[in-house]
């Protein structure tokens, strides 16, 4: 089971949208996926149509009361996609755990104890917009980090801090942690600004920047209020197309392409591909094209 933290301490950049719809894309590819809502705002919980109430047990019960992960998993409307919900009580976790030794490793330990491994190929963590104990738990438990970024002015602000925290976690608590990719979200192709910011992101992150761009799409903004993933809400929308493309690119990036996709590498035409010149505008500029 591969664990992925979707993280950026800025709010409103597309973390929750990406967690839900990457999870859905993976589920559609036949990879059972578990979503963990680590944000006290519980946007993801609501997005998959779970309304937290007093009786629902949430991640708080896991982090504070040692409740086994398996007891907290709920199905969603999409086959192969499950969720562990959050609620506002998660906001108190930072304080409750403030003085507890080993507070950053609780989630990793819980995942290791759980038999979730047998049920799920992937578990995705939807992180809160902060770099506190909850995000630390996600980074310590994760194999990969996905960083959604909004292509707008100042979007790189705060990145140095995030990279510093990732580096610290790699050095001290989780040497296996890898940044899988930086995903530009809510792109407005009508403005030059998006292109400029993308260029800046590429200069900063090089080939960690995904080829997939998530365009601004009203269906993506609507889907949460219907409690559905984009593939259920509007399967023909640009939002569905973009997240389907991202799902494939993500699998490829972490070397997890499905057997069917691996097979096509036997096709001689596709094997030629790596020799082709890179098609990015920047590469063209560099090669003097
Ligand atoms: N590509 C997109 N096009 C249009 N709206 C989007 C897109 N991605 C996200 N949104 C909307 O923008 C808001 C913030 O996105 P969200 O995923 O909740 O960000 P975060 O989890 O980082 O705070 C939400 O209302 C969401 O529905
Ligand atoms: Mg969110």
């Amino acid at each position: 089971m591969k664990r992925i933290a979707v993280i950026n301490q800025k709010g409103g950049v597309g973390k929750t949208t990406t967690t839900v719809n990457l999870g859905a894309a993976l589920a559609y590819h036949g990879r059972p996926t578990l979503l963990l809502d680590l944000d006290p705002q519980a946007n993801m919980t609501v997005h998959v149509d779970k309304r937290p109430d007093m009786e629902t047990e949430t991640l708080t019960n896991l982090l504070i009361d040692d409740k086994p992960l398996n007891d907290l998993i709920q199905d969603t409307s999409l086959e192969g996609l499950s969720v562990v919900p959050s609620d506002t009580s998660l906001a108190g976790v930072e304080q409750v755990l403030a003085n507890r030794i080993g507070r950053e490793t609780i989630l990793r330990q819980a995942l290791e104890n759980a038999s979730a491994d047998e049920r799920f190929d992937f578990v995705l963590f939807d992180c809160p917009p902060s770099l506190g104990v909850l995000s630390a738990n996600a980074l310590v438990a994760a194999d990969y980090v996905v960083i959604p970024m909004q292509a707008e002015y100042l979007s790189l602000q705060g990145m140095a801090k995030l990279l510093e925290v990732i580096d610290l976690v790699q050095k001290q608590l989780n040497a296996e942690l890898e940044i899988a990719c930086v995903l530009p979200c809510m792109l407005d192709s009508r403005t030059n600004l998006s292109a400029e910011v993308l260029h800046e992101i590429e200069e900063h992150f090089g080939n960690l920047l995904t080829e997939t761009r998530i365009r601004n799409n009203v269906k993506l903004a609507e889907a949460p209020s219907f409690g559905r993933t984009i593939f259920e809400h509007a399967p023909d929308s640009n939002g569905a197309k973009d997240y389907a493309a991202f799902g494939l690119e993500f699998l490829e990036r972490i070397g997890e392409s499905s057997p069917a996709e691996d097979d096509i590498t036997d096709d001689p035409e596709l094997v030629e591909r790596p020799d082709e010149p890179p098609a990015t505008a920047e590469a063209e500029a560099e090669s003097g094209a």
Side-chain angles (χ1 to χ4, degrees), residues 10-18 43 126 185-186 214-218 220-221 224 243:
K10 266 198 186 174
V13 298
K15 289 182 294 294
T16 299
T17 307
T18 296
N43 291 341
D126 184 26
C185 291
M186 298 181 232
I214 308 295
R215 290 166 284 184
N216 242 323
N217 182 243
V218 67
L220 281 169
Y243 275 105

